[in-house]
Amino acid sequence: MSQPLRQEVTLLINDVLRAKPRQDVVTVAPDATVRELVALLAEHNVGALIVSRDGSSVDGIASERDVVRRLNDDPDLLDAPVSAIATSVVHSCEGTSAVTELMQVMTEHRVRHIPVLAEGSLAGIISIGDVVKSRIGELEFERDQLDTYLHQT
């Protein structure tokens, strides 16, 4: 008895967003201080925040790395505005894109956090940790399917 071929399922970014424990996106205003940014990063236990004037546009992204790299050169950095350290050219994606495409962008551009847009507005944020977790889940599912198949024959 032959088994049907397994159909390839493309994991979408929206699938990863739905699996996250929190659906909201924490943002920081460009004129907030770096000290406020650090407090928000710690409070929400995240590695980066979207810089946004209104909570739906993406004006930049600011990460722990941005703070650490600049703090060494400027001890007064904590009182500077977030806009002084934020990355203003931000790679983004749509929720309907494949996770494999996102992985390629993250690898090529060496970024760990990418905002997800829906019709031009901020809909989520995906971290490299989110991608790894989803990929591990996919691999575990495939392993279980293969194990079941092998034990049926």
Side-chain angles (χ1 to χ4, degrees):
M1 167 160 95
S2 68
Q3 293 285 327
L5 292 175
R6 181 177 67 90
Q7 288 186 336
E8 201 60 37
V9 176
T10 301
L11 187 66
L12 300 179
I13 293 166
N14 280 336
D15 299 325
V16 177
L17 282 178
R18 279 191 291 276
K20 291 179 70 158
R22 289 185 59 175
Q23 304 301 312
D24 62 326
V25 182
V26 181
T27 62
V28 64
D31 59 348
T33 65
V34 173
R35 185 179 314 276
E36 292 170 307
L37 166 69
V38 170
L40 284 169
L41 290 168
E43 176 185 343
H44 296 282
N45 196 29
V46 294
L49 294 179
I50 303 300
V51 179
S52 177
R53 291 179 306 265
D54 58 12
S56 65
S57 63
V58 176
D59 301 313
I61 190 165
S63 70
E64 294 168 328
R65 283 180 157 192
D66 294 325
V67 174
V68 170
R69 288 180 177 150
R70 297 284 302 280
L71 191 57
N72 187 50
D73 297 331
D74 181 4
D76 297 324
L77 180 71
L78 293 175
D79 296 318
V82 169
S83 59
I85 67 161
T87 301
S88 58
V89 177
V90 180
H91 298 279
S92 64
C93 62
E94 294 284 330
T96 54
S97 300
V99 171
T100 52
E101 294 173 25
L102 178 67
M103 290 167 51
Q104 185 174 359
V105 169
M106 288 178 140
T107 302
E108 284 178 11
H109 299 283
R110 299 180 47 90
V111 294
R112 295 178 177 203
H113 300 85
I114 294 187
V116 181
L117 304 177
E119 299 178 11
S121 292
L122 186 61
I125 186 167
I126 296 285
S127 72
I128 191 72
D130 298 328
V131 172
V132 169
K133 182 178 178 182
S134 72
R135 186 67 183 125
I136 288 171
E138 279 185 299
L139 292 172
E140 288 173 344
F141 177 76
E142 289 176 12
R143 179 204 60 211
D144 293 345
Q145 293 296 309
L146 287 170
D147 187 51
T148 301
Y149 174 75
L150 289 173
H151 287 94
Q152 287 177 351
T153 57

